[in-house]
Amino acid sequence: MSKSKALRTSRSSDVVNQVYSNRVLRSEFDRNWRTEISRSGYVIYVATANRAKVEVILSGGVNKRLVFPRGGRVIVGGGGTSHYSKPHRTITI
């Protein structure tokens, strides 16, 4: 079995609706995102292409890859709370 096939079968994936998290320690966005600042001070990331990806490290050591359609949004507010638009796919990595 190839290494990539083994990795694919060891990951769990779900399609989820709108969620929020205050457990995000770090996020890395691929090049398919535009950044905006709202009047209230939120940072808003907007997906500019289908399959735009964000890799997040959560407290507790869990790593996830989030995959959004074009127009998907990640809104980051005070205290590190992140809101994720629906629907998007989550993959535990």
Side-chain angles (χ1 to χ4, degrees):
M1 180 182 308
S2 73
K3 184 176 179 182
S4 63
K5 186 172 183 177
L7 287 175
R8 270 185 269 149
T9 57
S10 66
R11 296 178 179 169
S12 68
S13 173
D14 295 308
V15 174
V16 297
N17 284 320
Q18 187 169 351
V19 296
Y20 71 92
S21 176
N22 61 359
R23 298 179 26 204
V24 177
L25 300 176
R26 181 178 174 161
S27 297
E28 291 188 22
F29 292 78
D30 69 8
R31 67 175 188 241
N32 297 311
W33 294 88
R34 178 180 76 239
T35 305
E36 302 173 355
I37 306 289
S38 73
R39 287 183 182 172
S40 58
Y42 287 92
V43 177
I44 303 169
Y45 299 92
V46 181
T48 60
N50 284 320
R51 294 188 300 226
K53 296 176 181 71
V54 181
E55 290 195 13
V56 296
I57 300 172
L58 302 174
S59 59
V62 176
N63 294 347
K64 295 207 178 242
R65 178 174 295 134
L66 311 177
V67 183
F68 290 82
R70 182 177 182 177
R73 293 177 180 257
V74 176
I75 303 169
V76 180
T81 301
S82 300
H83 299 263
Y84 303 96
S85 67
K86 60 183 179 180
H88 64 273
R89 180 171 298 281
T90 63
I91 304 164
T92 302
I93 53 177

